[in-house]
Amino acid sequence: MLDLINVSYDTQIPNNVGLSSDKRVLKALEKWHPGYINWWSDLIPQNFQQSLVYLRTAVSVDPKGWAKFDYVKMPEYRWGVLLAPQVEGRTIPCGEHFGDPAWQEVPGEYRNLLKRLIVIQGDTEPASVEQQRFLGLTAPSLYDMRNLFQVNVEEGRHLWAMVYLLHKYFGRDGREEADDLLLRSSGSEEAPRMLGAFNEETPDWLSFFMFTYFTDRDGKMQLESLAQSGFDPLSRTCRFMLTEEAHHMFVGETGVGRTIQKTCEVMNEHGIDDPYDIDKIRSFGVIDLPTIQKKLNLHYTLSLDLFGQEVSTNAANAFNAGIKGRYMEHRVKDDHKLTEDTYKVWDMVDGKLVQHDVPALTAINMRLRDDYSRDAAGGVSRWNKIIEKAGVAFEMKLPHEAFNRKIGVFAEKLFDPEGTLVTGAEYDAGMKEWLPTHADGDFIQSLMKPVTEPGKYASWIAAPKVGIDNKPGDFEYVKLHMA
Amino acid sequence: MNKPLKQHLIDPEICIRCYTCEMTCPLEAIEHDDNNVVVDASKCNFCMDCIPVCPTGSIDEWRVVNDPYSLDEQFEWDELPAQADIQTAGGEVETGMEALDEAMAALLAEAHAGAGGKAKAPASASKPTVNMYNLGKPAKAVVQGNYRLTSEDSDSDVRHIILDLGGLPFPVLEGQSVGIIPPGTDDEGKPHLPRLYSVSSPRDGERPNFNNLSLTVKRDEGGLCSNYVCDLKKGDTVQLTGPFGATFLMPEDPQARLLMICTGTGSAPMRAFTMRRQRSVGAKSGGMVMFFGARTPESLPYFGPLNKVPDTLLKKHLVFSRIPGAAKEYVQDRMRAEEDVVAEMIADPNTHIYICGLRGMEEGVEKTLTNIAESIGQPWGALRDTMRNEGRYHVETY
């Protein structure tokens, strides 16, 4: 009897899918493995590869076993194939096949659609590691460095998860797609990553926190909807990935929160009441709140673009086919087919923003984006609680979804963060208040000084309230390799 | 008035609302609104499945309450309420979460009674996990070894038992105890209740990074569980509950000084403390002083290995009461002889005192500490209460 809870180490690739008795897939993955290791080794600076990092590794996929902490060198991290346990009698949760038993093999008619979704998801995972590859050099503390590396190794594992599906279920095409995932590279001229947002470098730690908060949250929403897939192996893969993704959300939310916290503390310490007294605030080595708001504007709007067109037949097809569900599909109380329903989407009519009803089936992207915005707003209100508690008069806000968009009905039109159409001149004048300028970037960059003494933090960020794995404040999360 | 109960809560200031706990909870005891993620006290059965999956640590919060906080109350919170002082007819209730089931909590409360008040953990102690396994859901461990610690001709049979947990998570801190369920049933046909034993190995295992732990168990004539444990063979399976105990813990602060007073198998937690220090900070610490009493060297558990621990890490006073031809010496006698050392330590706010062994030792040790404290102008009762309230005075006797 196969043990599908505990991770088996009887092959080079830790897994809970019985790889040792699946020779074909094992062989294919073993062939792919060296390419992956090369990709990883070329990517992350060498002294970090040799350092001991206090990481979480799964030894099983049940709640008791997947958060095991220990020091590991990153190249020895146990990347592997981990699927959530199969649910007995699971049925297809949405679309025209609603209620039928979930597919354990790829349904022929949806093969290409499924493969494309898996490849796109798979492409984002290594891309983010590529975008963040140099951040270790400027980590504001060992604690943050550890969190960065935890995010990185788990993104690496998520690539493994997608590659397993490609190898196991898509034959030769799948293997080729898996190889291409290692050929494309973030920011490359010849072979860029598939989605725009994943080709921008993550230049500093505030960007990293904003990225993990906003962009990884898009990833979380996509995983949530793929976890609702009628194709059971994809659903099980994504369900397990979501438990890991929660850590990425945590890094983003607390990272921004601690940055805000430190700014407020420093303002209070020096008796600065005006959050717009930017030069003075910056002179104490912290990032002023208006600049943090600008970073928020940028990352939120870039992430909204990842949801695609508001009205989309591709998304409708995927839902109808039962390949991709909605956020929390199992908790939505309707017929899960959306044959009669409508949903409100934005549109531009005669140069004005209006909302009107379209068939709900075609508005799947829009609905997921709305769910995303609601989810993202929660953390923003918690950041505001930090500001309020410190007694500073400032409020962080999500900009209107029309602002700064490149995809969808708002694309290439000029809106301010309140969602008002503005002229070119007004837009140019407002830009430096709305989005980070080069000068803002340079200032943030100037603060990016590494701090490697256990328990110490860079000037611009507060210490966390709780340690990872309940460790005390001065715990040495990374034992740096001294070359 | 309702009986006080321990309620599981989530800290809204630290939680990031990822809902991973909610998706993990097998009883659907966790739910959320737009504001908070909350735990339904009427559904939560302390299975602890939600604890390791939380990325933030916000989920590991507990309050003792007369009436549990309702879901609506929890939804409104911006921050977690402080632990209220709860009074009952029987006096103060244990709020240290020593154990979540009453039988075990009662046993520990009795063991800690000698401290003269509510026990508190050291300020810098790691957060303990309690009650991961219980009677309904015990952990299975396999006996890796069972070694006699006392010489064959000694009349006391003390055993060092090593238990292997295999793949089971069993996070135990130095000073915590585990329950062992003896097989079989009692006169009424009910399964036996677990007996508590102090763990004598450090948190990373008897062997570093092996998922095992050790116990130090003395055979009591006619003792149901101790005979069962002392007769265990390699490969036997044992049912464990716990871990238990949330106050008799060591400080993580390497500069803290430990004064450890023990007899017989009361040395178990002291061994764990010593090994933890040895593996983490070694001699670069505030130091440890031990007064350890037994009848003879042959009946003192770990006599050989103890002597190999360097004095820079652990200063040892091994005291014997039945050496032929020598006067009887008890731990309190040696403490009196080393009065200056003890006095200097108890006056130092970095010192933590641990007393563990047979109940009979309490009186003598207490008297001696009273004398020494008074010799430096400190009334012992007040000093002891201060130390205990600061988590620096710990008693576990049986």
Side-chain angles (χ1 to χ4, degrees), chain A residues 63-64 66-68 70 220 224 243 246-247 249-250 253-254 327-328 331 375 382 385 389 465-466 470, chain B residues 13-18 20 22 24 35 47-49 52-53 55-56 78-79 127 132 137 169 209:
Chain A
K64 300 273 196 260
W66 76 269
K68 286 284 175 192
D70 206 349
K220 175 186 132 176
E224 287 273 8
T243 46
H247 175 263
M249 301 295 103
F250 155 76
E253 179 167 335
T254 55
Y327 180 56
M328 303 253 176
R331 298 216 176 158
D375 201 46
R382 288 188 289 280
K385 284 201 177 127
K389 224 174 170 176
K465 282 192 188 136
V466 184
N470 263 324
Chain B
E13 284 190 289
I14 293 175
C15 167
I16 60 159
R17 282 72 171 173
C18 66
T20 311
E22 184 176 331
T24 303
N35 199 27
C47 75
M48 305 282 161
D49 275 5
V53 299
T56 68
D78 284 337
E79 52 190 75
K127 220 174 198 181
M132 220 165 147
K137 196 181 73 169
N209 297 319

Side-chain angles (χ1 to χ4, degrees), chain B residues 85-218:
Chain B
D85 270 341
I86 299 222
Q87 303 285 331
T88 63
E92 231 168 342
V93 166
E94 186 58 58
T95 52
M97 314 305 161
E98 303 268 25
L100 299 173
D101 53 271
E102 286 169 39
M104 295 299 121
L107 280 177
L108 282 167
E110 197 188 330
H112 293 171
K118 187 164 79 176
K120 261 188 150 173
S124 68
S126 293
K127 220 174 198 181
T129 303
V130 295
N131 269 74
M132 220 165 147
Y133 300 94
N134 52 37
L135 260 183
K137 196 181 73 169
K140 283 201 171 59
V142 176
V143 178
Q144 258 181 327
N146 177 345
Y147 311 95
R148 186 173 167 130
L149 291 169
T150 46
S151 78
E152 285 301 330
D153 45 12
S154 155
D155 55 357
S156 130
D157 180 7
V158 181
R159 299 278 174 160
H160 184 65
I161 317 273
I162 305 174
L163 299 177
D164 178 15
L165 275 306
L168 270 192
F170 203 95
V172 61
L173 293 177
E174 306 78 18
Q176 282 193 293
S177 300
V178 298
I180 289 194
I181 309 174
T185 52
D186 63 14
D187 297 344
E188 293 172 24
K190 289 194 196 139
H192 292 294
L193 284 178
R195 305 298 198 271
L196 284 182
Y197 295 98
S198 252
V199 170
S200 55
S201 53
R203 65 190 75 182
D204 57 344
E206 170 70 10
R207 225 180 121 185
N209 297 319
F210 279 70
N211 193 15
N212 58 11
L213 57 84
S214 69
L215 303 175
T216 312
V217 180
K218 179 171 189 269

Side-chain angles (χ1 to χ4, degrees), chain B residues 31-99:
Chain B
E31 54 186 279
H32 71 270
D33 68 354
D34 285 345
N35 199 27
N36 286 343
V37 186
V38 300
V39 187
D40 188 336
S42 68
K43 292 184 186 165
C44 173
N45 72 345
F46 307 109
C47 75
M48 305 282 161
D49 275 5
C50 56
I51 307 291
V53 299
C54 173
T56 68
S58 61
I59 190 122
D60 204 0
E61 293 290 346
W62 311 86
R63 293 288 183 272
V64 177
V65 290
N66 282 321
D67 298 299
Y69 294 106
S70 70
L71 296 181
D72 286 338
E73 280 174 281
Q74 296 179 55
F75 282 135
E76 294 303 313
W77 286 345
D78 284 337
E79 52 190 75
L80 207 58
Q83 172 65 52
D85 270 341
I86 299 222
Q87 303 285 331
T88 63
E92 231 168 342
V93 166
E94 186 58 58
T95 52
M97 314 305 161
E98 303 268 25

Side-chain angles (χ1 to χ4, degrees), chain B residues 184-389:
Chain B
T185 52
D186 63 14
D187 297 344
E188 293 172 24
K190 289 194 196 139
H192 292 294
L193 284 178
R195 305 298 198 271
L196 284 182
Y197 295 98
S198 252
V199 170
S200 55
S201 53
R203 65 190 75 182
D204 57 344
E206 170 70 10
R207 225 180 121 185
N209 297 319
F210 279 70
N211 193 15
N212 58 11
L213 57 84
S214 69
L215 303 175
T216 312
V217 180
K218 179 171 189 269
R219 189 189 294 275
D220 280 328
E221 208 144 323
L224 169 81
C225 197
S226 74
N227 277 296
Y228 162 66
V229 175
C230 290
D231 289 336
L232 284 169
K233 304 265 179 311
K234 192 175 172 186
D236 286 352
T237 304
V238 181
Q239 297 205 307
L240 286 186
T241 62
F244 301 112
T247 59
F248 196 100
L249 301 171
M250 69 183 290
E252 282 296 292
D253 175 5
Q255 289 317 312
R257 303 170 72 191
L258 274 54
L259 174 57
M260 308 187 291
I261 304 157
C262 61
T263 57
T265 55
S267 59
M270 316 309 189
R271 177 181 186 262
F273 291 172
T274 308
M275 288 175 78
R276 171 66 185 165
R277 274 261 163 115
Q278 205 160 20
R279 287 183 195 172
S280 55
V281 287
K284 286 180 292 184
S285 67
M288 311 166 83
V289 175
M290 171 188 245
F291 291 90
F292 185 176
R295 292 184 161 206
T296 59
E298 291 73 32
S299 64
L300 185 135
Y302 308 110
F303 182 73
L306 249 183
N307 274 316
K308 290 189 196 133
V309 179
D311 276 1
T312 47
L313 178 76
L314 173 72
K315 175 78 185 134
K316 301 160 290 285
H317 296 282
L318 306 182
V319 184
F320 305 106
S321 58
R322 297 288 191 285
I323 302 261
K328 288 183 180 179
E329 191 185 21
Y330 295 98
V331 279
Q332 59 266 31
D333 302 328
R334 182 67 67 90
M335 287 168 69
R336 218 168 289 131
E338 297 285 336
E339 184 172 354
D340 294 346
V341 177
V342 177
E344 187 271 325
M345 280 190 88
I346 60 177
D348 181 348
N350 267 333
T351 298
H352 293 60
I353 299 181
Y354 296 86
I355 299 169
C356 189
L358 290 173
R359 181 131 314 145
M361 73 183 285
E362 263 176 35
E363 199 189 330
V365 170
E366 180 94 20
K367 250 189 199 146
T368 301
L369 285 172
T370 308
N371 286 337
I372 297 176
E374 269 154 21
S375 73
I376 53 169
Q378 299 253 27
W380 171 242
L383 179 60
R384 181 191 70 181
D385 289 350
T386 306
M387 292 187 77
R388 192 185 59 242
N389 283 331

